[in-house]
Amino acid sequence: MFATRLISGIILVILALLIVGRGGVLLFLASAVISCIGLFELYRVTKMEVRLLGAVGYAAALAYYGLVWFHQEQFVMLVAVSALMLFMTIYVVTFPKYGTEQVTVAFFGIFYVAVMFSYLYQTRMMADGKYLVWLIFLSSWGCDTCAYCVGMLFGRHKLAPVLSPKKSIEGAVGGVVGAALLGFLYALFFGGYMAEVKNPKVACALACGIAAVISQIGDLAASAIKRNHGVKDYGHLIPGHGGVLDRFDSMLFTAPAIYFALTFLR
């Protein structure tokens, strides 16, 4: 199991380096595909992946990505309201086939998966994005690694005993501090290339620290959804890691966190 997880992790890192490093249409398409797969996994957990509500959810997610590609983000609310109207129309016309919980999850999934994950691409497309986008990975995967190490060594107080018994408050703090340190060290080497960031070391450290806090909320939120529906993993697409949402759950939160943090900090 460990060997499988390690090999899958190495492949993921290589793919991330290639796709994110390239950016452009390749990253855009990869983000859209990953979002649709993640949305499918969420809908499958809630037992509606092949139903009409799910089809509207996929269509709305793709429409949103179309707006991002053509830089028409001002119409996001139009897509959101249109999707909600369609969901409610289906709910009324087919009543009582669907419950209010399913309608809510169908709408929620568009934002939770597609919109949140799109900020990976949007951060890459920022000025200096080819350097700043890696802060998303540093704050997500770096926080996970640092939290695990600190938690193993010093963990005494449970962070969320019901959701994740192995996570500790000490580990959570260590994850935030570790991510901020990684952001600082990253800027130490690459800050000179960030022409649009006034103080790269401070900006990258703060952005990673903020994103690391939110990253852990994202991780616990994904766990809560799985526990509510009695599943261990969202899927089996990535050997040793589970599904797309199992691997990118925290990144759904760090991507927009880094994007908006840098928007204000730069």
Side-chain angles (χ1 to χ4, degrees), residues 169-221:
I169 295 175
E170 293 83 359
V173 173
V176 173
V177 174
L181 180 59
L182 287 172
F184 178 84
L185 293 174
Y186 179 78
L188 197 62
F189 289 97
F190 297 101
Y193 299 101
M194 302 175 188
E196 298 295 324
V197 182
K198 191 171 183 180
N199 194 329
K201 298 184 187 69
V202 173
C204 290
L206 284 175
C208 282
I210 293 169
V213 174
I214 299 174
S215 166
Q216 297 182 71
I217 296 173
D219 183 46
L220 291 171

Side-chain angles (χ1 to χ4, degrees), residues 22-25 27-28 68-69 71 118-130 133 259 266:
R22 177 93 176 169
V25 66
L27 178 59
F28 174 81
V68 171
W69 177 254
H71 305 289
S118 74
Y119 282 97
L120 174 65
Y121 169 75
Q122 294 188 66
T123 302
R124 178 64 177 81
M125 297 307 293
M126 294 174 73
D128 301 322
K130 64 180 178 179
V133 70
Y259 178 88
R266 62 196 294 163

Side-chain angles (χ1 to χ4, degrees), residues 131-233:
Y131 299 106
L132 298 175
V133 70
W134 300 108
L135 297 178
I136 295 172
F137 296 88
L138 285 177
S139 59
S140 178
W141 296 350
C143 176
D144 286 347
T145 303
C146 293
Y148 175 79
C149 294
V150 173
M152 288 291 291
L153 293 173
F154 306 106
R156 295 293 182 273
H157 303 87
K158 300 297 183 182
L159 178 65
V162 177
L163 279 178
S164 188
K166 294 183 180 180
K167 293 185 184 296
S168 66
I169 295 175
E170 293 83 359
V173 173
V176 173
V177 174
L181 180 59
L182 287 172
F184 178 84
L185 293 174
Y186 179 78
L188 197 62
F189 289 97
F190 297 101
Y193 299 101
M194 302 175 188
E196 298 295 324
V197 182
K198 191 171 183 180
N199 194 329
K201 298 184 187 69
V202 173
C204 290
L206 284 175
C208 282
I210 293 169
V213 174
I214 299 174
S215 166
Q216 297 182 71
I217 296 173
D219 183 46
L220 291 171
S223 297
I225 293 172
K226 287 188 288 186
R227 285 185 178 274
N228 274 340
H229 293 88
V231 298
K232 183 178 183 295
D233 295 314

Side-chain angles (χ1 to χ4, degrees), residues 45-152:
V45 165
T46 55
K47 304 294 189 292
M48 63 179 198
E49 75 277 7
V50 295
R51 299 182 182 181
L52 195 53
L53 290 176
V56 174
Y58 300 134
L62 292 175
Y64 166 76
Y65 267 94
L67 296 180
V68 171
W69 177 254
F70 290 108
H71 305 289
Q72 300 296 320
E73 288 85 351
Q74 69 268 27
F75 295 112
V76 168
M77 285 307 298
L78 173 62
V79 171
V81 172
S82 298
L84 182 57
M85 287 180 176
L86 281 172
F87 284 136
M88 296 309 294
T89 299
I90 294 169
Y91 176 55
V92 169
V93 171
T94 63
F95 189 85
K97 183 177 182 180
Y98 299 107
T100 52
E101 295 82 3
Q102 291 176 301
V103 176
T104 302
V105 170
F107 186 67
F108 159 77
I110 299 168
F111 290 87
Y112 175 58
V113 182
V115 174
M116 300 276 270
F117 195 75
S118 74
Y119 282 97
L120 174 65
Y121 169 75
Q122 294 188 66
T123 302
R124 178 64 177 81
M125 297 307 293
M126 294 174 73
D128 301 322
K130 64 180 178 179
Y131 299 106
L132 298 175
V133 70
W134 300 108
L135 297 178
I136 295 172
F137 296 88
L138 285 177
S139 59
S140 178
W141 296 350
C143 176
D144 286 347
T145 303
C146 293
Y148 175 79
C149 294
V150 173
M152 288 291 291

